[in-house]
mmCIF file of all heavy atoms in Angstrom:
data_model
loop_
_atom_site.group_PDB
_atom_site.id
_atom_site.type_symbol
_atom_site.label_atom_id
_atom_site.label_comp_id
_atom_site.label_asym_id
_atom_site.label_seq_id
_atom_site.Cartn_x
_atom_site.Cartn_y
_atom_site.Cartn_z
ATOM 1 N N LEU H 938 76.621 6.476 -168.473
ATOM 2 C CA LEU H 938 76.461 6.552 -169.932
ATOM 3 C C LEU H 938 76.383 5.167 -170.575
ATOM 4 O O LEU H 938 75.876 5.026 -171.696
ATOM 5 C CB LEU H 938 77.639 7.316 -170.556
ATOM 6 C CG LEU H 938 77.764 8.797 -170.231
ATOM 7 C CD1 LEU H 938 79.036 9.358 -170.859
ATOM 8 C CD2 LEU H 938 76.546 9.574 -170.749
ATOM 9 N N LEU H 939 76.880 4.154 -169.880
ATOM 10 C CA LEU H 939 77.023 2.822 -170.483
ATOM 11 C C LEU H 939 75.726 2.253 -171.068
ATOM 12 O O LEU H 939 75.749 1.735 -172.196
ATOM 13 C CB LEU H 939 77.610 1.850 -169.448
ATOM 14 C CG LEU H 939 77.925 0.439 -169.961
ATOM 15 C CD1 LEU H 939 78.940 0.505 -171.095
ATOM 16 C CD2 LEU H 939 78.438 -0.443 -168.830
ATOM 17 N N PRO H 940 74.587 2.327 -170.365
ATOM 18 C CA PRO H 940 73.362 1.771 -170.971
ATOM 19 C C PRO H 940 73.016 2.427 -172.304
ATOM 20 O O PRO H 940 72.485 1.777 -173.206
ATOM 21 C CB PRO H 940 72.289 2.069 -169.918
ATOM 22 C CG PRO H 940 73.034 2.221 -168.644
ATOM 23 C CD PRO H 940 74.346 2.846 -169.019
ATOM 24 N N ALA H 941 73.309 3.726 -172.414
ATOM 25 C CA ALA H 941 73.037 4.426 -173.665
ATOM 26 C C ALA H 941 74.052 4.059 -174.744
ATOM 27 O O ALA H 941 73.713 3.890 -175.916
ATOM 28 C CB ALA H 941 73.065 5.943 -173.427
ATOM 29 N N ILE H 942 75.311 3.896 -174.337
ATOM 30 C CA ILE H 942 76.367 3.571 -175.288
ATOM 31 C C ILE H 942 76.145 2.209 -175.925
ATOM 32 O O ILE H 942 76.382 2.017 -177.124
ATOM 33 C CB ILE H 942 77.747 3.632 -174.593
ATOM 34 C CG1 ILE H 942 78.104 5.093 -174.261
ATOM 35 C CG2 ILE H 942 78.840 3.009 -175.456
ATOM 36 C CD1 ILE H 942 79.340 5.244 -173.399
ATOM 37 N N ILE H 943 75.677 1.247 -175.151
ATOM 38 C CA ILE H 943 75.500 -0.106 -175.686
ATOM 39 C C ILE H 943 74.122 -0.313 -176.313
ATOM 40 O O ILE H 943 73.782 -1.424 -176.728
ATOM 41 C CB ILE H 943 75.735 -1.179 -174.591
ATOM 42 C CG1 ILE H 943 74.714 -1.048 -173.464
ATOM 43 C CG2 ILE H 943 77.163 -1.096 -174.060
ATOM 44 C CD1 ILE H 943 74.843 -2.122 -172.394
ATOM 45 N N SER H 944 73.314 0.765 -176.383
ATOM 46 C CA SER H 944 72.017 0.674 -177.050
ATOM 47 C C SER H 944 72.164 1.001 -178.524
ATOM 48 O O SER H 944 72.939 1.878 -178.907
ATOM 49 C CB SER H 944 71.020 1.636 -176.410
ATOM 50 O OG SER H 944 70.760 1.272 -175.070
ATOM 51 N N ASP H 945 71.414 0.297 -179.339
ATOM 52 C CA ASP H 945 71.431 0.551 -180.784
ATOM 53 C C ASP H 945 70.360 1.584 -181.111
ATOM 54 O O ASP H 945 69.190 1.400 -180.802
ATOM 55 C CB ASP H 945 71.162 -0.747 -181.557
ATOM 56 C CG ASP H 945 71.466 -0.608 -183.037
ATOM 57 O OD1 ASP H 945 72.586 -0.205 -183.377
ATOM 58 O OD2 ASP H 945 70.567 -0.904 -183.853
ATOM 59 N N GLY H 946 70.742 2.664 -181.701
ATOM 60 C CA GLY H 946 69.785 3.718 -182.013
ATOM 61 C C GLY H 946 70.382 5.082 -181.774
ATOM 62 O O GLY H 946 71.561 5.223 -181.449
ATOM 63 N N GLN H 947 69.560 6.104 -181.920
ATOM 64 C CA GLN H 947 70.027 7.474 -181.780
ATOM 65 C C GLN H 947 70.379 7.799 -180.331
ATOM 66 O O GLN H 947 69.983 7.101 -179.407
ATOM 67 C CB GLN H 947 68.959 8.456 -182.276
ATOM 68 C CG GLN H 947 67.671 8.414 -181.481
ATOM 69 C CD GLN H 947 66.625 9.380 -182.010
ATOM 70 O OE1 GLN H 947 66.889 10.173 -182.894
ATOM 71 N NE2 GLN H 947 65.428 9.322 -181.459
ATOM 72 N N SER H 948 71.135 8.868 -180.170
ATOM 73 C CA SER H 948 71.519 9.301 -178.823
ATOM 74 C C SER H 948 70.271 9.616 -178.004
ATOM 75 O O SER H 948 69.254 10.048 -178.535
ATOM 76 C CB SER H 948 72.417 10.530 -178.897
ATOM 77 O OG SER H 948 73.590 10.243 -179.614
ATOM 78 N N SER H 949 70.372 9.418 -176.707
ATOM 79 C CA SER H 949 69.222 9.630 -175.839
ATOM 80 C C SER H 949 69.675 10.194 -174.502
ATOM 81 O O SER H 949 70.407 9.531 -173.764
ATOM 82 C CB SER H 949 68.459 8.318 -175.629
ATOM 83 O OG SER H 949 67.510 8.456 -174.598
ATOM 84 N N SER H 950 69.208 11.388 -174.172
ATOM 85 C CA SER H 950 69.506 11.959 -172.852
ATOM 86 C C SER H 950 68.742 11.216 -171.774
ATOM 87 O O SER H 950 69.084 11.285 -170.595
ATOM 88 C CB SER H 950 69.131 13.443 -172.830
ATOM 89 O OG SER H 950 67.738 13.619 -173.044
ATOM 90 N N ASN H 951 67.704 10.507 -172.149
ATOM 91 C CA ASN H 951 66.911 9.726 -171.199
ATOM 92 C C ASN H 951 67.683 8.507 -170.707
ATOM 93 O O ASN H 951 67.816 8.288 -169.500
ATOM 94 C CB ASN H 951 65.606 9.289 -171.876
ATOM 95 C CG ASN H 951 64.616 8.685 -170.900
ATOM 96 O OD1 ASN H 951 64.501 9.106 -169.765
ATOM 97 N ND2 ASN H 951 63.901 7.668 -171.353
ATOM 98 N N ARG H 952 68.220 7.723 -171.627
ATOM 99 C CA ARG H 952 68.945 6.509 -171.246
ATOM 100 C C ARG H 952 70.253 6.810 -170.523
ATOM 101 O O ARG H 952 70.794 5.944 -169.838
ATOM 102 C CB ARG H 952 69.243 5.656 -172.491
ATOM 103 C CG ARG H 952 68.037 4.954 -173.073
ATOM 104 C CD ARG H 952 68.443 3.906 -174.091
ATOM 105 N NE ARG H 952 69.079 4.490 -175.246
ATOM 106 C CZ ARG H 952 68.454 4.806 -176.367
ATOM 107 N NH1 ARG H 952 67.153 4.587 -176.474
ATOM 108 N NH2 ARG H 952 69.105 5.332 -177.394
ATOM 109 N N SER H 953 70.764 8.027 -170.666
ATOM 110 C CA SER H 953 72.088 8.351 -170.126
ATOM 111 C C SER H 953 72.054 9.227 -168.879
ATOM 112 O O SER H 953 73.102 9.618 -168.362
ATOM 113 C CB SER H 953 72.921 9.058 -171.203
ATOM 114 O OG SER H 953 72.235 10.198 -171.708
ATOM 115 N N ILE H 954 70.876 9.526 -168.348
ATOM 116 C CA ILE H 954 70.772 10.514 -167.271
ATOM 117 C C ILE H 954 71.414 10.043 -165.967
ATOM 118 O O ILE H 954 71.760 10.866 -165.098
ATOM 119 C CB ILE H 954 69.301 10.903 -167.025
ATOM 120 C CG1 ILE H 954 69.242 12.191 -166.184
ATOM 121 C CG2 ILE H 954 68.545 9.762 -166.361
ATOM 122 C CD1 ILE H 954 67.858 12.759 -166.036
ATOM 123 N N LEU H 955 71.620 8.749 -165.790
ATOM 124 C CA LEU H 955 72.260 8.289 -164.552
ATOM 125 C C LEU H 955 73.713 8.724 -164.462
ATOM 126 O O LEU H 955 74.344 8.582 -163.406
ATOM 127 C CB LEU H 955 72.169 6.763 -164.447
ATOM 128 C CG LEU H 955 70.745 6.189 -164.354
ATOM 129 C CD1 LEU H 955 70.795 4.669 -164.181
ATOM 130 C CD2 LEU H 955 69.962 6.825 -163.209
ATOM 131 N N ALA H 956 74.255 9.297 -165.540
ATOM 132 C CA ALA H 956 75.612 9.855 -165.502
ATOM 133 C C ALA H 956 75.644 11.247 -164.868
ATOM 134 O O ALA H 956 76.725 11.743 -164.529
ATOM 135 C CB ALA H 956 76.187 9.933 -166.918
ATOM 136 N N LEU H 957 74.483 11.869 -164.703
ATOM 137 C CA LEU H 957 74.450 13.255 -164.217
ATOM 138 C C LEU H 957 75.126 13.458 -162.867
ATOM 139 O O LEU H 957 75.888 14.415 -162.695
ATOM 140 C CB LEU H 957 73.005 13.753 -164.186
ATOM 141 C CG LEU H 957 72.773 15.175 -163.697
ATOM 142 C CD1 LEU H 957 73.607 16.180 -164.468
ATOM 143 C CD2 LEU H 957 71.287 15.538 -163.769
ATOM 144 N N PRO H 958 74.920 12.616 -161.853
ATOM 145 C CA PRO H 958 75.617 12.823 -160.572
ATOM 146 C C PRO H 958 77.136 12.807 -160.726
ATOM 147 O O PRO H 958 77.836 13.543 -160.022
ATOM 148 C CB PRO H 958 75.130 11.656 -159.712
ATOM 149 C CG PRO H 958 73.814 11.281 -160.289
ATOM 150 C CD PRO H 958 73.954 11.491 -161.760
ATOM 151 N N GLY H 959 77.650 11.959 -161.612
ATOM 152 C CA GLY H 959 79.088 11.932 -161.860
ATOM 153 C C GLY H 959 79.584 13.234 -162.455
ATOM 154 O O GLY H 959 80.646 13.745 -162.058
ATOM 155 N N PHE H 960 78.826 13.797 -163.384
ATOM 156 C CA PHE H 960 79.193 15.091 -163.958
ATOM 157 C C PHE H 960 79.207 16.170 -162.881
ATOM 158 O O PHE H 960 80.120 17.008 -162.828
ATOM 159 C CB PHE H 960 78.214 15.485 -165.071
ATOM 160 C CG PHE H 960 78.520 14.879 -166.411
ATOM 161 C CD1 PHE H 960 77.708 13.900 -166.953
ATOM 162 C CD2 PHE H 960 79.630 15.292 -167.136
ATOM 163 C CE1 PHE H 960 77.980 13.335 -168.192
ATOM 164 C CE2 PHE H 960 79.925 14.737 -168.387
ATOM 165 C CZ PHE H 960 79.100 13.755 -168.908
ATOM 166 N N ILE H 961 78.202 16.171 -162.017
ATOM 167 C CA ILE H 961 78.134 17.197 -160.959
ATOM 168 C C ILE H 961 79.283 17.039 -159.979
ATOM 169 O O ILE H 961 79.890 18.039 -159.559
ATOM 170 C CB ILE H 961 76.762 17.140 -160.259
ATOM 171 C CG1 ILE H 961 75.667 17.604 -161.229
ATOM 172 C CG2 ILE H 961 76.759 18.001 -158.996
ATOM 173 C CD1 ILE H 961 74.272 17.579 -160.662
ATOM 174 N N LEU H 962 79.615 15.810 -159.625
ATOM 175 C CA LEU H 962 80.752 15.593 -158.738
ATOM 176 C C LEU H 962 82.039 16.106 -159.394
ATOM 177 O O LEU H 962 82.868 16.755 -158.730
ATOM 178 C CB LEU H 962 80.895 14.114 -158.405
ATOM 179 C CG LEU H 962 82.093 13.719 -157.521
ATOM 180 C CD1 LEU H 962 82.088 14.507 -156.212
ATOM 181 C CD2 LEU H 962 82.096 12.225 -157.245
#
């Protein structure tokens, strides 16, 4: 989620998708 959190702008499921494996684990 970090790249999305430190980005300025609206929320983005694109910038945050690398968190998905952690959620599945």
Side-chain angles (χ1 to χ4, degrees):
L938 293 176
L939 185 60
I942 290 172
I943 63 177
S944 296
D945 192 54
Q947 63 181 353
S948 300
S949 168
S950 62
N951 190 36
R952 287 193 295 265
S953 55
I954 195 173
L955 297 183
L957 179 54
F960 277 110
I961 291 179
L962 177 56

